[in-house]
Amino acid sequence: MTDEERREAPWAPLEPGEAPPSAQAPPLPPPQGAPWQAPPPWQASPYGAQPKAGDYRTGPLPLHPMTLSDILDGAFKLLKANWRTVLLITAVFVVPLHLISAFVQRNLYSGRSFFDAVNNPTLQSGNTDNARLVLGGAVALVSLLVTPFVAGAISKVVAASYLGGEETVGSALRATGRRTWALLGAWFLVHILESIGFVLCIFPGLVVMATFVAVAPAIVIERLGPIRGMRRSARLLWPRLFPTMGTALVAGLLAGVVGNALGTVPSFAALAIGLKYGWPLLAAGSIVSALVTTPFVAIVATLIYFDGRIRQEGFDLQLMADELARRSPA
């Protein structure tokens, strides 16, 4: 990897025999009155003896092996610091899909309210047609297919922010677009393995899920193919499989609770007035839920990826060595 490529992606692993970059453009100064700026990673942070990542926007982030609380706290900080970028990226994918999905359901219960359907059972049957079912299934499939792209683009943003930089929406989407086939291929392979695992008494499916949590970050950040991305995730996470599984399950449960809390009221209101006129409310509820939960899950996956690199490869020491090399005389 050339010095220019290394400066663009300082988080990429060093190739065998590759030396740290000799120079890098100095970081921009924080805005006037910024409450905190990350010190060089080898120095003791004012927030503790261990080195910290992040910048003045995120506050201190752990640059050491992370606990569950470290990952969840870091996910909220990164989401808050990059909310405009991650919301725009998520909205590009999820808003059109949820609008189409809600519009397709506008004739549910013949467009009448849920209470009318309860009082009149005839409204609950005979109001589905093959075209609507096919269209609804297609929308659901496309929604599943865009998930790895959202996760990949957000991983790119989070990786830059975690290391004290900043990524734009356009550059993150372009980087993800270049990994389109890798993300799709890995998505299919992982879900095939998960399906087989869940058929075999659920637990093997959870093992597969935990093993490949970091596939999207690995593919986009390190520019890998689908198989290499899956191997990379497994190599980083397998030594701590059960803690990783617990972190992923807790994050998923938390995202589900928050998503339901945000989406329940508009969805219930839509069903109460009837989807013929209330489908925009149904769409609004699902969109608000997705705009919060989807980025959160993707950020957690990216922090799990960095935690694996810190534990298995000494990624924090690599960053310190790179910083020392940049600051040492030529």
Side-chain angles (χ1 to χ4, degrees):
M1 182 177 289
T2 65
D3 278 358
E4 181 179 356
E5 291 173 333
R6 173 61 60 186
R7 286 194 295 270
E8 291 178 355
W11 50 79
L14 293 173
E15 300 293 338
E18 180 184 0
S22 56
Q24 183 179 21
L28 295 175
Q32 186 69 27
W36 180 84
Q37 185 176 9
W42 68 86
Q43 292 184 2
S45 166
Y47 294 89
Q50 293 177 308
K52 300 294 180 181
D55 61 9
Y56 68 91
R57 296 181 305 121
T58 64
L61 296 173
L63 190 62
H64 55 77
M66 303 179 209
T67 64
L68 172 62
S69 61
D70 287 332
I71 290 176
L72 294 180
D73 180 63
F76 283 115
K77 287 181 177 179
L78 287 163
L79 180 59
K80 180 181 178 181
N82 300 280
W83 69 270
R84 292 183 181 87
T85 305
V86 298
L87 287 186
L88 283 173
I89 289 172
T90 309
V92 167
F93 293 98
V94 306
V95 170
L97 290 172
H98 285 290
L99 285 173
I100 295 172
S101 178
F103 183 76
V104 168
Q105 299 179 63
R106 71 191 185 284
N107 289 325
L108 185 66
Y109 306 133
S110 299
R112 307 284 291 278
S113 75
F114 172 77
F115 302 106
D116 290 339
V118 170
N119 295 325
N120 185 2
T122 61
L123 296 176
Q124 301 180 29
S125 60
N127 57 359
T128 60
D129 56 78
N130 292 334
R132 186 161 64 86
L133 290 176
V134 170
L135 183 57
V139 171
L141 178 60
V142 173
S143 179
L144 288 174
L145 290 176
V146 303
T147 301
F149 297 101
V150 178
I154 292 175
S155 296
K156 186 74 171 174
V157 173
V158 171
S161 185
Y162 178 72
L163 297 175
E166 192 169 358
E167 193 84 19
T168 65
V169 174
S171 61
L173 291 176
R174 286 192 296 271
T176 305
R178 289 191 287 268
R179 314 311 306 167
T180 295
W181 296 112
L183 289 167
L184 272 180
W187 183 89
F188 276 112
L189 292 173
V190 169
H191 279 76
I192 288 172
L193 294 175
E194 283 182 346
S195 299
I196 295 172
F198 281 116
V199 168
L200 301 174
C201 298
I202 300 178
F203 180 74
L206 295 176
V207 171
V208 173
M209 178 271 296
T211 302
F212 298 119
V213 163
V215 166
I219 287 175
V220 174
I221 294 172
E222 300 185 25
R223 305 170 188 173
L224 303 177
I227 302 299
R228 290 184 62 195
M230 293 172 65
R231 289 177 177 172
R232 180 69 168 148
S233 178
R235 185 162 56 249
L236 291 176
L237 305 185
W238 186 259
R240 285 178 44 83
L241 179 65
F242 292 108
T244 300
M245 184 187 301
T247 300
L249 290 175
V250 170
L253 178 61
L254 182 59
V257 171
V258 173
N260 287 330
L262 293 173
T264 296
V265 172
S267 299
F268 183 80
L271 291 172
I273 66 177
L275 294 183
K276 181 178 181 179
Y277 302 107
W279 69 266
L281 282 175
L282 183 67
S286 57
I287 288 171
V288 170
S289 175
L291 288 178
V292 175
T293 59
T294 303
F296 178 76
V297 172
I299 293 171
V300 168
T302 307
L303 289 177
I304 289 174
Y305 161 81
F306 278 117
D307 180 60
R309 290 194 59 182
I310 289 170
R311 292 178 184 274
Q312 307 305 323
E313 300 175 347
F315 178 64
D316 51 340
L317 301 179
Q318 177 185 322
L319 290 180
M320 296 176 195
D322 289 349
E323 186 68 23
L324 285 170
R326 285 192 294 269
R327 292 175 177 270
S328 62

